[in-house]
Short mmCIF file of all heavy atoms in Angstrom, two decimals:
data_model
loop_
_atom_site.label_atom_id
_atom_site.label_comp_id
_atom_site.label_asym_id
_atom_site.label_seq_id
_atom_site.Cartn_x
_atom_site.Cartn_y
_atom_site.Cartn_z
N ASN A 1 0.85 -1.19 0.00
CA ASN A 1 0.00 0.00 0.00
C ASN A 1 0.88 1.24 0.00
O ASN A 1 1.64 1.47 0.94
CB ASN A 1 -0.90 -0.03 1.25
CG ASN A 1 -1.94 1.08 1.23
OD1 ASN A 1 -1.85 2.03 0.46
ND2 ASN A 1 -2.95 0.94 2.09
N VAL A 2 0.78 2.05 -1.04
CA VAL A 2 1.63 3.24 -1.13
C VAL A 2 1.33 4.23 -0.01
O VAL A 2 2.18 5.05 0.34
CB VAL A 2 1.48 3.93 -2.51
CG1 VAL A 2 1.97 3.02 -3.62
CG2 VAL A 2 0.03 4.35 -2.75
N ASN A 3 0.14 4.14 0.58
CA ASN A 3 -0.19 5.02 1.69
C ASN A 3 0.60 4.70 2.96
O ASN A 3 0.59 5.49 3.91
CB ASN A 3 -1.69 4.95 2.00
CG ASN A 3 -2.53 5.51 0.86
OD1 ASN A 3 -2.12 6.45 0.18
ND2 ASN A 3 -3.70 4.94 0.64
N ASP A 4 1.26 3.54 2.97
CA ASP A 4 2.10 3.15 4.11
C ASP A 4 3.53 3.64 3.97
O ASP A 4 4.38 3.33 4.81
CB ASP A 4 2.12 1.62 4.26
CG ASP A 4 0.77 1.06 4.71
OD1 ASP A 4 0.01 1.80 5.37
OD2 ASP A 4 0.49 -0.12 4.41
N ALA A 5 3.80 4.39 2.92
CA ALA A 5 5.19 4.74 2.58
C ALA A 5 5.92 5.43 3.72
O ALA A 5 7.11 5.16 3.97
CB ALA A 5 5.21 5.62 1.34
N SER A 6 5.25 6.32 4.45
CA SER A 6 5.94 7.08 5.50
C SER A 6 6.43 6.16 6.61
O SER A 6 7.52 6.38 7.15
CB SER A 6 5.02 8.15 6.07
OG SER A 6 3.87 7.57 6.67
N ARG A 7 5.66 5.15 6.96
CA ARG A 7 6.09 4.22 8.01
C ARG A 7 7.09 3.19 7.47
O ARG A 7 8.04 2.82 8.15
CB ARG A 7 4.87 3.53 8.64
CG ARG A 7 4.03 4.48 9.48
CD ARG A 7 2.86 3.77 10.15
NE ARG A 7 1.87 3.30 9.18
CZ ARG A 7 0.89 4.05 8.70
NH1 ARG A 7 0.76 5.30 9.12
NH2 ARG A 7 0.03 3.56 7.83
N LEU A 8 6.88 2.75 6.25
CA LEU A 8 7.81 1.80 5.64
C LEU A 8 9.20 2.44 5.50
O LEU A 8 10.22 1.74 5.57
CB LEU A 8 7.30 1.35 4.27
CG LEU A 8 6.08 0.42 4.30
CD1 LEU A 8 5.55 0.21 2.87
CD2 LEU A 8 6.41 -0.93 4.93
N ALA A 9 9.23 3.74 5.33
CA ALA A 9 10.50 4.44 5.14
C ALA A 9 11.36 4.44 6.40
O ALA A 9 12.55 4.78 6.34
CB ALA A 9 10.24 5.89 4.71
N THR A 10 10.80 4.02 7.52
CA THR A 10 11.56 3.99 8.78
C THR A 10 12.27 2.66 8.99
O THR A 10 13.01 2.51 9.97
CB THR A 10 10.63 4.24 9.98
OG1 THR A 10 9.70 3.15 10.11
CG2 THR A 10 9.85 5.54 9.81
N LEU A 11 12.06 1.71 8.08
CA LEU A 11 12.60 0.35 8.25
C LEU A 11 13.58 -0.02 7.14
O LEU A 11 13.41 0.41 6.00
CB LEU A 11 11.47 -0.68 8.20
CG LEU A 11 10.51 -0.77 9.38
CD1 LEU A 11 9.34 -1.66 9.00
CD2 LEU A 11 11.23 -1.32 10.59
N PRO A 12 14.58 -0.86 7.45
CA PRO A 12 15.35 -1.49 6.38
C PRO A 12 14.45 -2.49 5.64
O PRO A 12 13.85 -3.37 6.26
CB PRO A 12 16.48 -2.22 7.13
CG PRO A 12 16.54 -1.57 8.47
CD PRO A 12 15.12 -1.18 8.78
N LEU A 13 14.35 -2.32 4.33
CA LEU A 13 13.50 -3.20 3.52
C LEU A 13 14.30 -3.71 2.33
O LEU A 13 15.08 -2.97 1.72
CB LEU A 13 12.28 -2.44 2.99
CG LEU A 13 11.29 -1.85 4.00
CD1 LEU A 13 10.25 -1.01 3.27
CD2 LEU A 13 10.61 -2.96 4.79
N TRP A 14 14.09 -4.97 2.01
CA TRP A 14 14.64 -5.53 0.77
C TRP A 14 13.47 -6.09 -0.02
O TRP A 14 12.86 -7.08 0.36
CB TRP A 14 15.67 -6.61 1.08
CG TRP A 14 16.45 -7.06 -0.12
CD1 TRP A 14 16.39 -6.57 -1.39
CD2 TRP A 14 17.42 -8.11 -0.16
NE1 TRP A 14 17.26 -7.22 -2.22
CE2 TRP A 14 17.91 -8.17 -1.49
CE3 TRP A 14 17.92 -8.99 0.80
CZ2 TRP A 14 18.87 -9.12 -1.88
CZ3 TRP A 14 18.88 -9.92 0.41
CH2 TRP A 14 19.35 -9.97 -0.91
N ILE A 15 13.15 -5.41 -1.11
CA ILE A 15 12.03 -5.79 -1.96
C ILE A 15 12.59 -6.38 -3.24
O ILE A 15 13.42 -5.75 -3.91
CB ILE A 15 11.12 -4.59 -2.23
CG1 ILE A 15 10.54 -4.08 -0.90
CG2 ILE A 15 10.00 -4.94 -3.21
CD1 ILE A 15 9.72 -2.81 -1.01
N GLN A 16 12.14 -7.60 -3.60
CA GLN A 16 12.69 -8.30 -4.75
C GLN A 16 11.56 -8.77 -5.67
O GLN A 16 10.50 -9.19 -5.19
CB GLN A 16 13.50 -9.51 -4.28
CG GLN A 16 14.60 -9.14 -3.28
CD GLN A 16 15.43 -10.33 -2.87
OE1 GLN A 16 16.06 -10.99 -3.69
NE2 GLN A 16 15.46 -10.62 -1.57
N HIS A 17 11.83 -8.71 -6.96
CA HIS A 17 10.79 -9.11 -7.92
C HIS A 17 11.46 -9.57 -9.23
O HIS A 17 12.42 -8.97 -9.68
CB HIS A 17 9.87 -7.93 -8.23
CG HIS A 17 8.44 -8.31 -8.43
ND1 HIS A 17 7.42 -7.85 -7.62
CD2 HIS A 17 7.86 -9.14 -9.33
CE1 HIS A 17 6.26 -8.37 -8.04
NE2 HIS A 17 6.51 -9.14 -9.07
N GLY A 18 10.92 -10.63 -9.80
CA GLY A 18 11.42 -11.12 -11.08
C GLY A 18 10.86 -10.30 -12.24
O GLY A 18 9.70 -9.90 -12.21
N ASN A 19 11.70 -10.08 -13.25
CA ASN A 19 11.23 -9.28 -14.39
C ASN A 19 10.42 -10.08 -15.40
O ASN A 19 9.95 -9.54 -16.40
CB ASN A 19 12.41 -8.58 -15.08
CG ASN A 19 13.38 -9.55 -15.74
OD1 ASN A 19 13.26 -10.77 -15.59
ND2 ASN A 19 14.36 -9.02 -16.45
N LYS A 20 10.21 -11.37 -15.12
CA LYS A 20 9.37 -12.21 -15.97
C LYS A 20 8.15 -12.72 -15.21
O LYS A 20 7.57 -13.74 -15.56
CB LYS A 20 10.19 -13.40 -16.51
CG LYS A 20 11.40 -13.02 -17.36
CD LYS A 20 11.00 -12.30 -18.63
CE LYS A 20 12.21 -11.98 -19.49
NZ LYS A 20 11.85 -11.23 -20.74
N ASP A 21 7.78 -11.99 -14.18
CA ASP A 21 6.63 -12.37 -13.37
C ASP A 21 5.36 -11.82 -14.02
O ASP A 21 5.15 -10.60 -14.05
CB ASP A 21 6.78 -11.81 -11.95
CG ASP A 21 5.75 -12.37 -10.97
OD1 ASP A 21 4.66 -12.78 -11.42
OD2 ASP A 21 6.03 -12.40 -9.77
N TYR A 22 4.53 -12.73 -14.53
CA TYR A 22 3.29 -12.31 -15.18
C TYR A 22 2.07 -12.58 -14.31
O TYR A 22 0.94 -12.37 -14.75
CB TYR A 22 3.16 -13.00 -16.54
CG TYR A 22 4.34 -12.72 -17.45
CD1 TYR A 22 5.19 -13.75 -17.87
CD2 TYR A 22 4.63 -11.42 -17.85
CE1 TYR A 22 6.29 -13.48 -18.67
CE2 TYR A 22 5.72 -11.14 -18.66
CZ TYR A 22 6.56 -12.18 -19.06
OH TYR A 22 7.65 -11.91 -19.86
N ILE A 23 2.29 -13.06 -13.09
CA ILE A 23 1.20 -13.27 -12.14
C ILE A 23 1.00 -12.01 -11.30
O ILE A 23 -0.10 -11.46 -11.20
CB ILE A 23 1.49 -14.49 -11.23
CG1 ILE A 23 1.75 -15.74 -12.06
CG2 ILE A 23 0.32 -14.72 -10.26
CD1 ILE A 23 0.60 -16.18 -12.95
N VAL A 24 2.09 -11.56 -10.68
CA VAL A 24 2.11 -10.25 -10.00
C VAL A 24 3.19 -9.43 -10.70
O VAL A 24 4.37 -9.77 -10.63
CB VAL A 24 2.42 -10.39 -8.50
CG1 VAL A 24 2.49 -9.00 -7.85
CG2 VAL A 24 1.37 -11.24 -7.80
N ARG A 25 2.79 -8.42 -11.39
CA ARG A 25 3.73 -7.63 -12.18
C ARG A 25 4.75 -6.92 -11.30
O ARG A 25 4.44 -6.50 -10.18
CB ARG A 25 2.97 -6.60 -13.01
CG ARG A 25 2.01 -7.22 -14.02
CD ARG A 25 2.75 -7.75 -15.21
NE ARG A 25 1.84 -8.35 -16.20
CZ ARG A 25 2.21 -8.71 -17.43
NH1 ARG A 25 3.48 -8.53 -17.81
NH2 ARG A 25 1.36 -9.26 -18.26
N MET A 26 5.94 -6.77 -11.84
CA MET A 26 7.02 -6.12 -11.11
C MET A 26 6.66 -4.69 -10.73
O MET A 26 7.16 -4.14 -9.74
CB MET A 26 8.29 -6.15 -11.94
CG MET A 26 9.54 -5.74 -11.19
SD MET A 26 11.04 -6.03 -12.16
CE MET A 26 10.85 -4.77 -13.43
N SER A 27 5.77 -4.08 -11.49
CA SER A 27 5.34 -2.72 -11.20
C SER A 27 4.68 -2.60 -9.83
O SER A 27 4.68 -1.52 -9.22
CB SER A 27 4.36 -2.22 -12.28
OG SER A 27 3.24 -3.09 -12.37
N GLU A 28 4.13 -3.70 -9.30
CA GLU A 28 3.51 -3.69 -7.98
C GLU A 28 4.55 -3.41 -6.89
O GLU A 28 4.29 -2.68 -5.94
CB GLU A 28 2.81 -5.03 -7.71
CG GLU A 28 1.53 -5.22 -8.48
CD GLU A 28 0.44 -4.25 -8.03
OE1 GLU A 28 -0.04 -4.38 -6.88
OE2 GLU A 28 0.08 -3.37 -8.84
N SER A 29 5.71 -4.02 -7.03
CA SER A 29 6.78 -3.75 -6.08
C SER A 29 7.38 -2.36 -6.31
O SER A 29 7.66 -1.62 -5.36
CB SER A 29 7.89 -4.81 -6.19
OG SER A 29 7.49 -6.03 -5.61
#
């Protein structure tokens, strides 16, 4: 949820996504 950005910004996060993912598009991450 992009509305959570301010709180997510306070944490170390590692977000990973495959560029051939056609089930959940990489644009979601």
Side-chain angles (χ1 to χ4, degrees):
N1 188 345
V2 296
N3 293 327
D4 291 334
S6 62
R7 290 183 293 275
L8 289 172
T10 66
L11 288 170
L13 299 173
W14 190 3
I15 298 175
Q16 305 182 60
H17 216 119
N19 66 353
K20 300 296 183 181
D21 190 335
Y22 302 116
I23 304 299
V24 178
R25 297 283 180 170
M26 191 171 69
S27 57
E28 287 293 293
S29 285

